[in-house]
Amino acid sequence: MTGNARYDILFEPVRIGPKMARNRFYQVPHCNGMGYRDPTALAHMRGVKAEGGWAVVCTEQVEFHHSSDITPFIELRLWDDRDIPALARMVDKIHEHGSLAGIELAYNGMNGPNLYSREVPMGPAHLPVATFTYEPVQARRMDLQDIRNIRKWHLAAVHRARRAGFDLIYVYAAHALGFLHHFLSRRYNERTDEYGGSLENRIRLLREITQETKDAVGHDCAIPLRISVDELLGEGGLYQAEVEDMIGLMADVPDLWDVTLAGWENDSRTSRFAEEGAQEPFISGIKRLTSKPVVGVGRYTSPDRMVSLVKKGVMDLIGAARPSIADPFLPNKIRDGRLEDIRECIGCNICVSGDFTQSPIRCTQNPTMGEEWRKGWHPERVRPRGSDKSVLVVGAGPAGLEAAHALGKRGYAVTLAEAGTQLGGRVLAEAKLPGLAAWSRVADYRRLQLQKLANVEIFFMSRLDAPSVLEFGFPRVVLATGARWRRDGVGHLHTRPIPIAPGAILISPSEIMEGQLPTGKTVLVWDDDHYYMGGVIAELLAEKNYDVVYLTPASEASTWTRNTMEQHFIQKRMLEKGITIHGFKTVESVAPGEVLSACVFTGRKTRIAADAVVLVTARLPNEELALALQACREDWADAGIEDVTSIGDALAPATIAHATYAGRRYAELLDNPPLPEGVIPFRREIAGLLPLREGNPT
Ligand code: ADP
Ligand code: SF4
């Protein structure tokens, strides 16, 4: 059946209630920052997953009633019939490729402040709404009429979901993200009526809703139940033994058990904090409690691991969100025996940041993610080349590698020149930092792909200068020469260099990654970058037995990593490694043996002793070559050069995801006819206007 019989088991069909999944690959619900704002972009993104072989493709959470919205997050809505067409479009895209479409109906309850609908949030108890932002809003305790209403609303949404064409209609009780989870957990449920107290009581609403859903549509829709196996809070919250008892009580009521771990931040931990399959100990006991199929996640990208999960009876379906984002064609590649073509997720959670920043999903490994309809990009296919003009790519970091790869696939003759001896640029250096080893996959995937392209030539130890570029005389030149960390303190706070006295010992992150270490015992790390680098450098130095003092003008370490759901884990690890963390502090100047710091509020100055200082603030593009080529522009024509373009960090330093995107963008656009003036280079949807008097004003 497959290119390798060992993997045949992954391609066995699995019955889920009245439906049949064509194989064991199951894209579990995942958010994406597109939701109701970008329905067609979302429909195409899901459609590409189906095309790539995922037998089941699910939505993100779908709000099923206006009295609970999750604003500012942009998810899907199924509030009334008007929401059906957007969802039906997604279903159609999924069905086009023979996959099953699943919908995750959600009512956030005390997890959503209702900033859009302005309804009063409801939950099992009077409690502050549990958001990431400490919203000053409380949820009210639901009474029995509220419970009857919510059952009615759920049922109405179930019927709408069926009309939209969904094959699987979820009952969602996981991730602490909805009322059903809140009713289950003693942490939130302090009720004394028949919906609180004992396990039987706390599970009552879940059981009622699951049964009602089955009775209503179970004859032709499958009803998965999604549950958290442990809240990791001990007996104060849901814990494994209790949840297993719950599952025992409802063993065969749903058609499928979708098991998750605690809150989303635990279920989707970055590779820095969790290995592939970290959830397995929590999932492995579930199958013996039910005769129904079980699906779970674990950032699984290894087919051997998947086979073992099925054979060991841990799960029947291999659930994935991130592996399906990084490689929508992962199932087909396994089926066809093309394992070396798998674009493995690196576990960075940049995809998650799309949801947290309400912007369309992006992926470090898969630069086409979210752009399937917006820009017409496809993770596996590119258009044939638009001319015979060859391309020189300078620099083999993520930007240069992706450009060379996509240009090579388009059929251009490409020469890739790299100053060093390996492919990968910054990811090679960063993958050596504590916890970031998986990042080397960005280079691994592209190295293997480039090996297959006879039209891409790679030259190592080739640091190019302007005369050599002119001498080569390629019509197109792409500069992907990367960036270096600054040493002058310029960052978000200081936009001008700070005073650094002679004799002060300063070392930059670039130098540390090149293998240098500071002299002395106490090192101060000043983090005005706020993503992972400051925290990870502090961690590295602590591991090397320095006394590390970490200063940030923000309230917490690596504050932007809230968007990748890592901040809490990072700060915990830093504290456990003995790093002293000072929030709300600046570095004003550096002198031998000390820095002058100031409070961000009062400006009050303090001196902090430090033998050496690492300034993690900002980077500067390696633009010497670009500037030198600009300076000899008049020589280009004679040399046969038509165009020189800087991309990635060489243009403006940003994330690795920005770099792979930049490489892809260059390759996608090459030889495209220019867009007419004023035309936006991507598709977008605009809300349809209602006639002024239509609608339901109260
Ligand atoms: P990006 O993230 O934009 O891809 P990186 O910093 O990861 O940037 O990669 C830049 C790569 O370019 C590095 O591998 C570096 O060795 C290489 N490089 C920089 N300048 C030159 C040059 N003048 N000639 C060839 N290679 C270069
Ligand atoms: Fe994996 Fe990172 Fe892509 Fe998310 S953004 S799917 S974590 S590689």
Side-chain angles (χ1 to χ4, degrees):
M1 210 163 41
T2 64
N4 184 336
R6 192 156 83 236
Y7 304 130
D8 281 357
I9 192 170
L10 299 175
F11 294 88
E12 292 169 353
V14 179
R15 173 158 291 286
I16 312 175
K19 299 288 178 181
M20 190 67 89
R22 66 187 150 117
N23 61 38
R24 296 185 188 269
F25 291 91
Y26 190 111
Q27 183 243 274
V28 295
H30 73 75
C31 302
N32 51 76
M34 298 200 279
Y36 63 81
R37 187 193 52 211
D38 302 308
T40 301
L42 183 51
H44 281 248
M45 182 268 272
R46 301 290 188 202
V48 168
K49 306 268 196 99
E51 185 191 350
W54 298 87
V56 179
V57 178
C58 298
T59 62
E60 60 269 48
Q61 60 162 304
V62 183
E63 299 165 0
F64 67 73
H65 194 257
H66 72 273
S67 62
S68 184
D69 74 77
I70 189 77
T71 311
F73 293 92
I74 297 182
E75 315 294 338
L76 281 165
R77 289 175 176 161
L78 189 46
W79 291 357
D80 65 20
D81 287 357
R82 294 175 65 213
D83 292 313
I84 292 177
L87 289 163
R89 179 166 287 187
M90 181 194 302
V91 170
D92 290 346
K93 294 307 292 179
I94 295 168
H95 283 172
E96 248 175 49
H97 301 284
S99 300
L100 301 175
I103 182 169
E104 183 181 69
L105 294 177
Y107 189 91
N108 289 91
M110 53 167 295
N111 201 233
N114 288 348
L115 299 175
Y116 186 84
S117 69
R118 304 191 69 175
E119 299 288 345
V120 176
M122 299 189 287
H126 288 297
L127 276 172
V129 294
T131 61
F132 301 101
T133 47
Y134 297 114
E135 208 68 47
V137 174
Q138 286 205 191
R140 69 173 176 83
R141 184 179 56 232
M142 292 164 73
D143 62 21
L144 293 179
Q145 185 55 45
D146 294 321
I147 291 177
R148 281 191 286 277
N149 286 343
I150 210 167
R151 288 168 57 184
K152 199 171 67 194
W153 299 334
H154 188 269
L155 209 50
V158 163
H159 285 293
R160 288 195 178 100
R162 181 164 169 265
R163 277 164 56 204
F166 284 99
D167 307 285
L168 285 76
I169 302 181
Y170 262 81
V171 175
Y172 182 42
H175 292 142
L177 282 178
F179 76 116
L180 286 170
H181 182 128
H182 302 142
F183 268 82
L184 290 179
S185 174
R186 257 190 299 258
R187 182 151 70 114
Y188 308 103
N189 185 344
E190 48 163 40
R191 302 176 73 92
T192 51
D193 62 9
E194 65 265 41
Y195 290 99
S198 67
L199 194 59
E200 285 77 6
N201 281 357
R202 281 183 282 130
I203 205 172
R204 186 180 309 279
L205 186 52
L206 179 65
R207 195 203 280 269
E208 286 170 348
I209 285 198
T210 311
Q211 196 59 58
E212 281 161 1
T213 305
K214 276 201 83 169
D215 293 346
V217 300
H219 55 287
D220 64 356
C221 293
I223 313 301
L225 202 163
R226 200 167 202 211
I227 196 163
S228 289
V229 271
D230 201 312
E231 287 187 303
L232 305 177
L233 297 168
E235 297 196 2
L238 288 170
Y239 56 96
Q240 195 169 357
E242 184 184 54
V243 175
E244 291 189 1
D245 287 346
M246 283 183 185
I247 294 174
L249 289 173
M250 289 186 61
D252 292 337
V253 182
D255 294 315
L256 168 83
W257 286 94
D258 178 339
V259 277
T260 69
L261 180 60
W264 183 19
E265 66 284 2
N266 268 298
D267 214 24
S268 294
R269 269 179 293 168
T270 56
S271 55
R272 193 171 162 189
F273 296 97
E275 296 286 320
E276 176 170 342
Q279 291 96 320
E280 199 179 316
F282 293 91
I283 300 173
S284 53
I286 306 297
K287 260 192 70 61
R288 68 180 149 73
L289 306 173
T290 171
S291 67
K292 300 299 169 101
V294 170
V295 63
V297 295
R299 202 164 36 77
Y300 293 115
T301 54
S302 146
D304 290 303
R305 183 80 185 261
M306 296 173 194
V307 168
S308 121
L309 289 167
V310 176
K311 286 197 170 157
K312 280 194 298 186
V314 176
M315 52 182 82
D316 304 279
L317 294 137
I318 308 298
R322 291 173 293 174
S324 77
I325 294 168
D327 198 340
F329 277 64
L330 185 137
N332 284 358
K333 289 175 182 176
I334 297 174
R335 182 197 62 195
D336 301 341
R338 295 192 293 125
L339 303 192
E340 75 286 1
D341 290 341
I342 295 173
R343 212 182 300 103
E344 285 187 289
C345 167
I346 70 165
C348 62
N349 279 7
I350 281 293
C351 48
V352 171
S353 77
D355 194 48
F356 274 80
T357 56
Q358 296 94 51
S359 41
I361 188 167
R362 70 228 30 222
C363 170
T364 302
Q365 274 286 55
N366 173 11
T368 69
M369 179 46 46
E371 305 296 353
E372 299 84 355
W373 177 76
R374 284 175 14 119
K375 302 206 173 84
W377 296 1
H378 189 277
E380 301 303 313
R381 289 192 297 274
V382 280
R383 284 169 299 111
R385 67 174 192 257
S387 76
D388 291 334
K389 294 174 183 170
S390 54
V391 189
L392 170 67
V393 179
V394 186
L401 284 177
E402 178 61 25
H405 169 219
L407 288 166
K409 272 183 89 169
R410 286 193 66 188
Y412 287 97
V414 179
T415 298
L416 175 59
E418 164 56 42
T421 54
Q422 291 181 71
L423 302 179
R426 64 180 283 194
V427 293
L428 291 184
E430 294 184 25
K432 295 196 189 97
L433 294 170
L436 302 187
W439 294 27
S440 61
R441 291 174 170 185
V442 173
D444 296 341
Y445 166 72
R446 290 169 177 83
R447 187 187 319 110
L448 289 172
Q449 297 306 301
L450 288 174
Q451 278 168 10
K452 295 184 175 189
L453 292 166
N455 50 328
V456 179
E457 262 196 297
I458 302 175
F459 293 93
F460 291 104
M461 309 279 283
S462 305
R463 180 170 293 280
L464 301 191
D465 54 13
S468 47
V469 172
L470 288 172
E471 204 177 308
F472 277 128
F474 288 93
R476 275 72 179 272
V477 180
V478 185
L479 303 179
T481 50
R484 275 184 81 75
W485 286 91
R486 304 179 71 124
R487 305 179 92 257
D488 57 5
V490 170
H492 288 87
L493 189 87
H494 299 298
T495 53
R496 296 289 159 90
I498 60 172
I500 297 171
I505 297 175
L506 216 67
I507 183 162
S508 76
S510 299
E511 289 160 344
I512 291 177
M513 285 186 276
E514 283 158 9
Q516 295 183 41
L517 284 172
T519 50
K521 179 73 180 142
T522 305
V523 185
L524 185 144
V525 177
W526 157 240
D527 187 357
D528 192 24
D529 169 65
H530 306 286
Y531 191 17
Y532 55 89
M533 188 56 75
V536 90
I537 290 280
E539 197 182 324
L540 173 82
L541 294 172
E543 279 178 6
K544 298 206 178 286
N545 293 320
Y546 289 94
D547 293 334
V548 183
V549 181
Y550 170 97
L551 251 66
T552 171
S555 59
E556 59 195 6
S558 301
T559 189
W560 192 83
T561 61
R562 281 182 169 259
N563 296 310
T564 51
M565 300 193 302
E566 288 173 287
Q567 197 285 323
H568 175 85
F569 297 115
I570 291 174
Q571 189 133 355
K572 179 169 181 279
R573 182 173 285 177
M574 288 172 72
L575 291 170
E576 283 170 354
K577 288 198 184 265
I579 297 164
T580 308
I581 300 175
H582 293 295
F584 302 126
K585 289 269 195 208
T586 72
V587 167
E588 297 295 306
S589 60
V590 185
E594 66 174 26
V595 302
L596 184 66
S597 171
C599 166
V600 294
F601 303 114
T602 63
R604 195 177 301 129
K605 304 273 195 305
T606 44
R607 289 181 191 282
I608 303 177
D611 299 324
V613 176
V614 188
L615 301 176
V616 188
T617 56
R619 286 174 289 158
L620 275 174
N622 294 326
E623 57 183 356
E624 300 74 15
L625 180 55
L627 295 175
L629 285 168
Q630 286 305 330
C632 62
R633 233 198 137 96
E634 67 280 5
D635 301 331
W636 289 9
D638 285 348
I641 297 176
E642 293 175 11
D643 176 64
V644 177
T645 306
S646 294
I647 62 167
D649 291 336
L651 181 65
T655 64
I656 301 169
H658 281 76
T660 51
Y661 171 83
R664 182 71 179 215
R665 182 173 190 268
Y666 178 89
E668 290 277 351
L669 294 183
L670 192 62
D671 289 320
N672 272 7
L675 287 175
E677 188 63 28
V679 173
I680 296 169
F682 50 87
R683 296 192 182 100
R684 66 180 177 136
E685 277 168 323
I686 301 208
L689 292 181
L690 278 180
L692 281 176
R693 276 175 226 295
E694 210 175 288
N696 308 305
T698 49

